[in-house]
């Protein structure tokens, strides 16, 4: 089992990255230089536009350290990786499956059934822990609907039908999302999912953390030899990591939604950490982003028992495990792709 190595997050846009021997040199005007050993890193994520030296890019490529650049608001810009070293037969199988709707449907069904199952148990956990503080009838009704929808998902006969059912279940789940926000309700309210740009504090948090999860998943797929740009449910589009978007579906609620709700309810983020632009877009301030990244790293270190492997793994290992299981399925080592079922 591959260990999840550290990810270096550069959260301030004024930082510039360079290579100094066997270390990453982090430079900023008027600040002390910081050195981080390369051998401790699996990935580097930079929020800003100052960039990195060609020497550092070369060193990261040679060591298979993903170097990702995001905008200050968390939008994906680019990712630099070294020579692809995945199994060519595995990728040929992936491409063949992506062109076969029936085969793609089998994998996509499992991803979405996992998504709906996990979304339902996020609601059920809220009922268990906070029944007297929420509208239990609304949440229970949504939970029942999600449970029933899994039958329809299983009976889907094509990808368009599956996407339709998925959209309906997502709408039902998000219709009660605001119930799970127990504190700071005036500043952190949820009236529906919006993005590009996010128009409220909660959606800003969700979009930012979904980006973090997506980039983790891209790295996991690359690590096992799969092409993150060729998906099964999400159609191919230039520059879109379609397979990573397929894979994060089952993990959104348990890895991101619960995390965001925890940030708000435990007051680890506050309204002072956000700002609104003239066009209505809501952005996080630098200190808030730093706090979220620290808490995200802490959450990744927490251990759970993987439902399929029956072994303890860190939360940060889950995308890698799922990518590995998908690769094994495509190789024919297992009979079906087992989604991640959390409870």
């Amino acid at each position: 089992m591959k260990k999840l190595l550290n990810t270096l997050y550069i959260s301030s846009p004024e930082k510039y990255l360079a290579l100094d021997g066997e270390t990453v040199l982090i430079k900023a005007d008027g600040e002390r230089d910081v050195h981080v050993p390369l051998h401790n890193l699996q990935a580097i994520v930079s929020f800003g536009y100052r960039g990195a030296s060609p020497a550092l890019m070369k060193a990261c490529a040679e060591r298979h350290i993903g170097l990702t650049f995001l905008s200050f608001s968390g939008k994906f810009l680019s990712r630099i990786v070294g020579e692809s070293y995945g199994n060519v037969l595995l990728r040929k199988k992936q491409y063949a499956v992506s062109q076969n709707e029936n085969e793609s449907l089998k994998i996509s069904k499992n991803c979405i059934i996992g998504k709906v199952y996990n979304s339902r148990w996020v609601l059920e956990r809220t009922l268990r822990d906070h029944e007297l503080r929420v509208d239990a009838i609304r949440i229970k009704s949504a939970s029942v609907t999600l449970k029933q929808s899994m039958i329809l998902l299983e009976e889907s006969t094509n990808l368009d039908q599956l996407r339709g059912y998925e959209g309906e279940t997502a709408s039902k789940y998000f219709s009660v999302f605001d119930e799970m926000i127990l504190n700071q309700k005036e500043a952190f309210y949820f009236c529906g999912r919006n993005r590009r740009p996010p128009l409220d504090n909660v959606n800003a948090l969700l979009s930012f953390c979904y980006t973090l999860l997506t980039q983790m998943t891209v790295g996991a797929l690359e690590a096992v030899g799969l092409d993150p740009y060729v998906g099964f449910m999400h159609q191919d589009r230039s520059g879109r990591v379609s397979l990573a978007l397929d894979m994060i579906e089952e993990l959104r609620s348990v890895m991101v939604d619960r995390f965001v709700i925890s940030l708000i309810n435990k007051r680890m983020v506050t309204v002072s950490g956000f700002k609104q632009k003239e066009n209505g877009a809501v952005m996080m301030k630098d200190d808030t982003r730093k706090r979220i990244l620290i808490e995200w790293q802490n959450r990744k270190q927490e251990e759970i028992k993987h439902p399929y492997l029956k072994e303890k793994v860190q939360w940060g290992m889950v995308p890698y495990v799922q990518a590995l299981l998908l690769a094994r399925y495509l190789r024919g080592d297992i009979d079906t792709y087992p989604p991640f079922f959390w409870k």
Side-chain angles (χ1 to χ4, degrees):
M1 182 65 67
K2 180 179 182 292
K3 293 183 178 178
L4 183 69
L5 301 178
N6 290 336
T7 298
L8 174 64
Y9 291 99
I10 311 300
S11 61
S12 298
E14 70 274 8
K15 297 289 195 300
Y16 180 77
L17 309 180
L19 181 68
D20 186 3
E22 291 296 311
T23 68
V24 181
L25 174 62
I26 306 168
K27 306 178 66 174
D29 296 338
E31 296 185 18
R32 182 175 60 87
D33 293 345
V34 177
H35 291 79
V36 179
L38 278 172
H39 70 266
N40 288 332
L41 298 177
Q42 182 189 31
I44 301 171
V45 179
S46 179
F47 297 86
Y49 304 99
R50 292 284 304 270
S53 71
L56 177 63
M57 294 180 190
K58 178 176 182 292
C60 289
E62 290 174 344
R63 293 164 173 80
H64 303 294
I65 299 172
L67 180 56
T68 301
F69 292 96
L70 306 179
S71 71
F72 188 63
S73 62
K75 180 182 178 181
F76 175 74
L77 299 175
S78 65
R79 184 170 184 266
I80 299 170
V81 295
E83 180 181 359
S84 177
Y85 56 96
N87 187 320
V88 64
L89 296 179
L90 173 63
R91 290 205 175 194
K92 288 179 70 174
K93 178 66 175 180
Q94 176 190 353
Y95 299 150
V97 170
S98 73
Q99 296 297 313
N100 185 315
E101 178 160 343
N102 289 333
E103 292 298 319
S104 293
L105 182 62
K106 292 178 184 178
I107 298 172
S108 301
K109 274 185 182 181
N110 285 0
C111 290
I112 300 306
I113 288 172
K115 173 182 181 176
V116 174
Y117 178 96
N118 291 332
S119 298
R120 175 174 178 254
W121 280 108
V122 168
L123 300 181
E124 289 290 330
R125 181 68 68 91
T126 300
L127 286 175
R128 188 196 72 179
D129 295 342
H130 308 289
E131 184 174 7
L132 299 180
R133 300 183 63 186
V134 300
D135 188 334
I137 294 177
R138 285 189 67 215
I139 293 180
K140 190 63 180 179
S141 175
S143 175
V144 170
T145 299
L146 294 184
K147 182 179 180 180
Q148 294 171 342
S149 71
M150 286 191 282
I151 299 174
L152 298 175
L153 292 169
E154 183 60 44
E155 294 176 347
S156 298
T157 58
N158 57 66
L159 287 172
D160 284 339
Q161 190 177 49
L162 181 71
R163 294 186 188 104
Y165 289 143
E166 185 275 333
E168 291 173 4
T169 58
S171 178
K172 191 65 175 179
Y173 168 72
F174 279 122
S175 72
V176 294
F177 192 88
D178 192 64
E179 290 290 336
M180 295 185 283
I181 301 173
L182 305 177
N183 296 318
Q184 307 186 87
K185 296 286 284 189
E186 291 185 2
F188 295 92
Y189 51 85
F190 185 84
C191 299
R193 185 78 177 103
N194 55 70
R195 54 193 184 276
R196 302 189 188 98
L199 301 177
D200 57 68
N201 297 339
V202 177
N203 275 290
L205 288 168
L206 288 172
S207 293
F208 179 71
C209 294
Y210 286 148
T211 299
L212 296 178
L213 177 59
T214 301
Q215 292 312 303
M216 283 177 60
T217 306
V218 168
L221 292 168
E222 290 274 12
V224 301
L226 289 167
D227 186 339
Y229 290 89
V230 178
F232 305 118
M233 188 179 79
H234 288 83
Q235 296 179 339
D236 295 345
R237 182 185 301 170
S238 180
R240 183 166 76 171
V241 285
S242 297
L243 183 56
L245 296 178
D246 287 349
M247 298 293 290
I248 70 168
E249 291 291 359
E250 64 202 73
L251 302 177
R252 285 177 183 268
S253 60
V254 291
M255 288 194 69
V256 172
D257 298 354
R258 291 179 65 242
F259 175 70
V260 166
I261 291 167
S262 179
L263 289 174
I264 297 170
N265 288 342
K266 293 182 179 180
R267 303 181 190 276
M268 289 183 280
V269 294
T270 61
V271 65
S272 63
F274 297 79
K275 58 184 177 182
Q276 189 170 37
K277 300 176 68 175
E278 291 183 359
N279 65 354
V282 173
M283 298 179 61
M284 290 178 288
K285 296 181 180 178
D286 193 36
D287 288 345
T288 297
R289 185 178 291 105
K290 289 179 180 178
R291 178 64 187 275
I292 292 171
L293 292 174
I294 291 171
E295 296 301 331
W296 178 254
Q297 288 292 75
N298 290 339
R299 178 63 63 90
K300 284 165 58 179
Q301 302 304 313
E302 295 178 5
E303 285 192 341
I304 60 167
K305 187 174 182 179
H306 193 279
Y308 181 80
L309 298 181
K310 307 300 181 185
E311 296 180 9
K312 286 187 176 181
V313 299
Q314 295 176 338
W315 266 117
M317 282 288 292
V318 172
Y320 176 82
V321 172
Q322 295 307 120
L324 187 60
L325 290 172
L326 177 60
R328 288 179 176 175
Y329 167 67
L330 292 173
R331 288 192 179 102
D333 297 335
I334 54 179
D335 293 334
T336 188
Y337 167 67
F340 180 83
F341 289 129
W342 174 81
K343 188 174 180 179

